[in-house]
Amino acid sequence: MAIIRIQSLDEPAVRMFSSLTEAQLRSRVDPGRAVFIAESPKVIRVALDAGYEPQALLCEERHIGGDAADIIARCPDMPVYTGGRELLAQLTGYTLTRGVLCAMRRPKEQPLEALCRNSRRLVVIKGVVDTTNIGAIFRSAAALGIDGVLLTRDSCDPLNRRAVRVSMGSVFLVPWTWIDEPLDKLHDYGFRTVAMALTDRSVPLDDPTLAAEPRLAIVMGTEGDGLPHEVIEGADYVVRIPMFHGVDSLNVAAAAAVAFWQLRVRHFENN
């Protein structure tokens, strides 16, 4: 175990924690060096359990023998950078989240076919850019039986630091990948698409026909504008959530959770 005390956040070894942007961390020029940052011991443990490879740890001195002790023991070859509480607080302008950050190697993108092959329920995230919503959608997906997440390239990166934190590590539990093909490509893998939108042909979310479908891909749109017209028109189903008191929409993360629960695969409930 190499414990390295730093005196400044400008030191090259800790730039990944202190000054590199999310785009720089993704390192598209050299994907083999791409990393992301996981915050808090709990989230880091979830990532390690899921097989993610740690590169370096940054933590307050008091956590080396405390909250981070088991993480350090699991990763004996990982460099551990440490400094005083006041120094590390400069990372965010307030006390470091749980006192521990871990840089981890970004995994290779999973092929779309491989993710779809063994899935029955997918969510497609179309153009959602809010990190909090991305994290919340992943957390609901993990909890409510979604087998995989597909994201269009204009959506937020699930391994964004805040998205990881909001998801409480659920981004490590649900397989995900980017989708570049038109959504009707999912028909090739046996999926019917469900666009969540308010239109004249929207059917209620609790329509029994939906839950009976063997494979569904639930398409969620942006926080403000919703789904593009062409996505709605190309969907097999257009679905609305029945609501009360004149409310016509929910936040995309809340709507996703409702849809995931209602459209879940129900075979396990009969076991």
Side-chain angles (χ1 to χ4, degrees):
M1 173 177 63
I3 304 295
I4 305 164
R5 183 174 177 80
I6 60 172
Q7 302 299 323
S8 168
L9 295 177
D10 294 328
E11 294 182 24
V14 295
R15 286 186 64 233
M16 68 181 77
F17 298 106
S18 62
S19 61
L20 295 186
T21 65
E22 290 287 343
Q24 289 169 327
L25 289 172
R26 291 176 70 173
S27 188
R28 291 178 178 172
V29 175
D30 184 3
R33 299 180 62 187
V35 299
F36 66 93
I37 306 298
E39 298 186 28
S40 87
K42 180 176 181 179
V43 171
I44 294 167
R45 291 184 194 107
V46 174
L48 291 174
D49 290 344
Y52 283 76
E53 181 183 349
Q55 300 296 292
L57 197 74
L58 179 66
C59 68
E60 296 177 16
E61 293 169 301
R62 65 193 180 99
H63 291 308
I64 292 175
D67 288 350
D70 64 309
I71 295 170
I72 294 170
R74 290 177 65 172
C75 311
D77 298 327
M78 175 182 62
V80 178
Y81 299 98
T82 189
R85 188 178 181 87
E86 294 75 17
L87 173 65
L88 299 190
Q90 297 173 27
L91 284 170
T92 55
Y94 53 89
T95 303
L96 189 64
T97 304
R98 298 283 183 175
V100 186
L101 296 177
C102 187
M104 293 189 153
R105 187 174 299 281
R106 178 178 285 270
K108 293 181 179 179
E109 289 186 19
Q110 186 171 161
L112 177 65
E113 180 180 3
L115 192 149
C116 291
R117 186 183 303 120
N118 297 316
S119 297
R120 296 184 63 184
R121 292 294 186 266
L122 299 175
V123 59
V124 180
I125 300 176
K126 169 66 176 171
V128 176
V129 297
D130 184 270
T131 55
T132 299
N133 283 334
I134 291 290
I137 291 171
F138 265 87
R139 192 170 184 182
S140 294
L144 301 175
I146 295 298
D147 300 311
V149 181
L150 309 178
L151 303 101
T152 57
R153 297 281 179 178
D154 55 351
S155 296
C156 170
D157 174 23
L159 296 181
N160 171 282
R161 185 183 300 192
R162 179 168 176 77
V164 171
R165 183 170 72 246
V166 171
S167 80
M168 293 300 293
S170 294
V171 295
F172 310 129
L173 303 178
V174 183
W176 65 271
T177 195
W178 303 101
I179 181 167
D180 298 305
E181 297 90 346
L183 297 188
D184 59 11
K185 174 69 174 177
L186 295 175
H187 292 155
D188 295 349
Y189 306 109
F191 284 90
R192 306 294 295 277
T193 54
V194 176
M196 301 297 296
L198 291 173
T199 73
D200 292 340
R201 69 184 183 99
S202 296
V203 300
L205 181 64
D206 56 0
D207 187 316
T209 304
L210 296 168
E213 286 283 3
R215 288 187 165 187
L216 286 178
I218 306 162
V219 188
M220 310 298 303
T222 64
E223 296 85 349
D225 298 330
L227 291 170
H229 175 74
E230 62 271 16
V231 171
I232 296 172
E233 288 299 307
D236 296 301
Y237 297 100
V238 184
V239 174
R240 69 180 187 277
I241 299 173
M243 300 185 194
F244 300 90
H245 301 295
V247 177
D248 63 1
S249 65
L250 294 173
N251 165 275
V252 64
V258 174
F260 297 165
W261 172 251
Q262 182 61 39
L263 300 179
R264 69 196 183 280
V265 175
R266 318 222 173 185
H267 63 84
F268 66 88
E269 296 179 356
N270 297 321
N271 294 338

